[in-house]
Amino acid sequence: FADVITDSAWACLALAGNAALAALGLTVLAYEFGPTRNPNVNGVTIPTVPQAGAHADDVPYLFDLGGKNLLATAAERRLATAMVGYWTSFARTGTPSAEGFPAWPAGPALRLGDTIAAADLAADHQCAFWSTVR
């Protein structure tokens, strides 16, 4: 159910918006956030409901929350280093880059998760299918 909602009502609509902006000649940089484990910033306490990549889960990778660093593992801290690098480089130069991490791809999105790599989000989220059921 979460995949249906995420794909049909969020990911594919965001990608359509990205395409519309790109068609106007604007540079669009997209990413998808989705490590398999994150700090529980949403307070969900239902063990059978996975929270990997839920809304706002990326915030502790960029900021301390409530004066606390919520990142508990080396993998979380490594991803935070990459994200802070990409964001600050983009703010400084207009080009997101992070030393020691993959280049941000022109066109496809960057997947920020357990691995960092280019991603075909339209294929991953079945957007061709979802465009037929609206």
Side-chain angles (χ1 to χ4, degrees), residues 8-77:
S8 68
W10 185 255
C12 295
L13 294 178
L15 291 171
N18 292 352
L21 292 169
L24 296 173
L26 300 171
T27 299
V28 178
L29 300 168
Y31 75 95
E32 181 172 78
F33 180 79
T36 54
R37 186 214 172 272
N38 292 302
N40 186 2
V41 298
N42 295 305
V44 175
T45 58
I46 305 167
T48 57
V49 178
Q51 293 298 303
H55 184 67
D57 277 355
D58 54 347
V59 175
Y61 290 82
L62 299 166
F63 306 101
D64 289 348
L65 296 177
K68 296 179 183 174
N69 180 338
L70 301 179
L71 305 179
T73 70
E76 291 170 342
R77 291 186 293 275

Side-chain angles (χ1 to χ4, degrees), residues 14-15 18-19 21-22 26-32 86-87 89-91 93-97 103-110 121:
L15 291 171
N18 292 352
L21 292 169
L26 300 171
T27 299
V28 178
L29 300 168
Y31 75 95
E32 181 172 78
Y86 288 125
W87 269 239
S89 169
F90 179 73
T93 69
T95 301
S97 64
W104 198 292
L110 186 66
L121 298 182

